[in-house]
Amino acid sequence: MPWVDSLKEAERVMVICNACRYCEGFCAVFPAMERRRILSEQDLTYLASLCHNCRDCYYACQYAPPHEFDLNVPRALGELRMDTYRVFSWPVFFSRLFLRNGLAVSLITALSTSIILLLAFIVQGPSVIFSAHLGEDAFYKVIPYALIVIPMLAWGLFILAALFMGFITFWRETGGKMGDLFESDAHLRALWDALRLKYLDGGGHGCNYPDDRFSHVRRWFHHLVFYGFMLCLAATTVAAIYEHFLHWGAPYPLWSLPVVLGTVGGVGLLIGTGGLLYLKRRMDRIPTTPRLLGMDVAFLVLLFLTSLTGLALLVLRETPAMGILLVVHLGVVVGLFITLPYSKFVHSIYRYTALLRNAIEESREES
Ligand code: SF4
Ligand code: SF4
């Protein structure tokens, strides 16, 4: 559905909801909608990212299908959200990666794994890849240090720039004022709402996910994914400090900080992504946004494979399987890294931005 059509449908459902207001206790979308007499394109875009797709309003709605109004709020806002990812991405050239995202992410990951494997064979040779390597710098005997760090560092800077541009564009295009970005109290409030996934609790009962029964299970799996990801990021950061400032080469002992953080984070990611994928298989498809499905699944599978190959590498790092496992793990990580600003990951940036705006509006209403 093109951008204009998804805006029209979001406007249609929100106008009906604004007259009804039955669902105002479920999430922040309905109170934010009620603050507005007229819903502009900017407002609708903001509301779409404020929606956490808990689906409570779909199962509560007397106008949902088969009613002739055919009201499906999660799907209408999901369609608009999908267009937001594409329209606000930076640089614009890469926005087409959102069109068939699942396929693009799979191809890029397969390609990056093949290139790393080929480079390792050319530079080091098969005998090095299929031998056991022990002690400090064992990983770099398979893949040279510079080959890992320099491209990752360069792309990491690009990712930061792309995500920052997406954040600023979303803020500006949804009517936010630049001066409001410096409201520290609003940032704290938005962060608190994001860190506990406040709007996945449906006003206390939980989501209607994967079906019409209330449940908190999706929220807990989502927490495992988020905090698992953050712990893995912390493990990589600590390992980089060890490497660059203390000159301790990887792999590190089992009870070292990077290994403990990475193991706990990896297990959390594995359970969280596996659980979310399982729920996706069982979910009711009617409130689903079909265009978002491929992107959701591709991102979850990539995170699942990253943690699985990382944990396998930890267990088998002193065996001859280490070389090939390292290549596969790096290939998946590079695929995840390359596609990060053009994957489901961007929802965290836009949702945080919407929560920030909501926090500003709520605090102004209270004062
Ligand atoms: S989703 Fe349905 S029940 Fe809920 S506010 Fe909108 S029209 Fe009313
Ligand atoms: S799906 Fe959930 S978060 Fe989205 S508008 Fe409905 S109640 Fe709110």
Side-chain angles (χ1 to χ4, degrees):
M1 193 187 284
W3 172 242
V4 177
D5 289 352
S6 50
L7 271 170
K8 270 191 197 155
E9 177 59 7
E11 185 182 19
R12 183 185 78 88
V13 300
M14 286 289 102
V15 165
I16 297 172
C17 289
N18 215 355
C20 166
R21 301 190 172 190
Y22 177 77
C23 298
E24 61 188 2
F26 284 145
C27 70
V29 171
F30 295 94
M33 172 194 73
E34 290 167 18
R35 280 183 215 118
R36 292 159 166 81
R37 294 169 64 129
I38 297 169
L39 290 168
S40 66
E41 185 179 315
Q42 294 178 330
D43 294 328
L44 291 165
T45 310
Y46 154 60
L47 295 177
S49 272
L50 196 56
C51 169
H52 285 51
N53 187 29
C54 76
R55 303 172 166 208
D56 291 358
C57 62
Y58 172 77
Y59 292 104
C61 185
Q62 61 272 38
Y63 305 124
H67 191 278
E68 60 181 321
F69 285 3
D70 194 28
L71 210 78
N72 192 333
V73 179
R75 179 179 279 198
L77 296 184
E79 289 284 355
L80 185 52
R81 231 176 9 254
M82 178 71 198
D83 283 330
T84 307
Y85 300 157
R86 188 174 49 79
V87 172
F88 295 163
S89 64
W90 181 92
V92 179
F93 172 76
F94 287 134
S95 64
R96 30 184 108 184
L97 286 173
F98 281 111
L99 290 177
R100 297 185 71 188
N101 189 264
L103 182 66
V105 168
S106 313
L107 287 178
I108 290 171
T109 307
L111 197 67
S112 58
T113 309
S114 311
I115 291 173
I116 292 172
L117 186 62
L118 200 68
L119 279 177
F121 267 97
I122 293 170
V123 177
Q124 310 291 59
S127 59
V128 173
I129 295 172
F130 294 111
S131 303
H133 301 279
L134 302 176
E136 211 171 306
D137 290 336
F139 291 158
Y140 307 131
K141 287 172 187 152
V142 180
I143 311 267
Y145 178 70
L147 215 62
I148 300 175
V149 174
I150 296 170
M152 296 285 250
L153 205 60
W155 192 258
L157 292 174
F158 174 79
I159 289 175
L160 288 179
L163 295 179
F164 179 73
M165 290 303 288
F167 169 73
I168 292 294
T169 311
F170 183 88
W171 185 254
R172 213 182 37 225
E173 296 296 321
T174 53
K177 294 189 179 74
M178 285 302 160
D180 290 348
L181 285 176
F182 300 98
E183 288 200 20
S184 54
D185 285 352
H187 275 288
L188 286 177
R189 195 168 177 160
L191 206 57
W192 181 232
D193 288 346
L195 290 179
R196 63 196 165 122
L197 285 175
K198 181 180 174 187
Y199 298 113
L200 271 188
D201 83 342
H205 303 291
C207 293
N208 283 141
Y209 193 95
D211 51 34
D212 59 348
R213 285 169 294 185
F214 287 101
S215 163
H216 286 284
V217 68
R218 180 171 174 223
R219 190 177 180 205
W220 289 116
F221 281 141
H222 200 298
H223 274 317
L224 282 172
V225 172
F226 176 77
Y227 291 106
F229 186 83
M230 295 313 282
L231 283 175
C232 290
L233 204 63
T236 310
T237 309
V238 174
I241 293 170
Y242 280 10
E243 186 73 52
H244 294 286
F245 299 107
L246 305 176
H247 304 294
W248 297 342
Y252 302 109
L254 283 182
W255 293 108
S256 64
L257 193 56
V259 175
V260 171
L261 290 172
T263 306
V264 176
V267 171
L269 257 183
L270 205 63
I271 299 171
T273 51
L276 288 178
L277 284 166
Y278 172 72
L279 292 181
K280 272 199 191 305
R281 265 186 70 82
R282 287 194 45 218
M283 72 181 175
D284 180 356
R285 297 283 168 133
I286 300 174
T288 301
T289 306
R291 288 191 304 150
L292 275 171
L293 198 57
M295 180 163 83
D296 285 0
V297 170
F299 186 59
L300 286 173
V301 169
L302 218 48
L303 285 177
F304 182 86
L305 290 177
T306 302
S307 48
L308 185 70
T309 53
L311 291 172
L313 186 61
L314 175 68
V315 173
L316 300 172
R317 63 185 181 168
E318 292 183 353
T319 72
M322 183 271 271
I324 200 74
L325 273 172
L326 180 64
V327 167
V328 174
H329 180 61
L330 271 178
V332 177
V333 171
V334 168
L336 179 72
F337 217 52
I338 289 176
T339 55
L340 208 67
Y342 311 102
S343 71
K344 183 63 194 281
F345 182 81
V346 296
H347 89 287
S348 55
I349 303 295
Y350 296 135
R351 182 149 299 146
Y352 176 76
T353 317
L355 285 170
L356 177 63
R357 188 153 170 208
N358 182 57
I360 291 171
E361 289 180 1
E362 278 183 348
S363 57
R364 285 181 187 165
E365 204 172 47
E366 287 160 10
S367 61

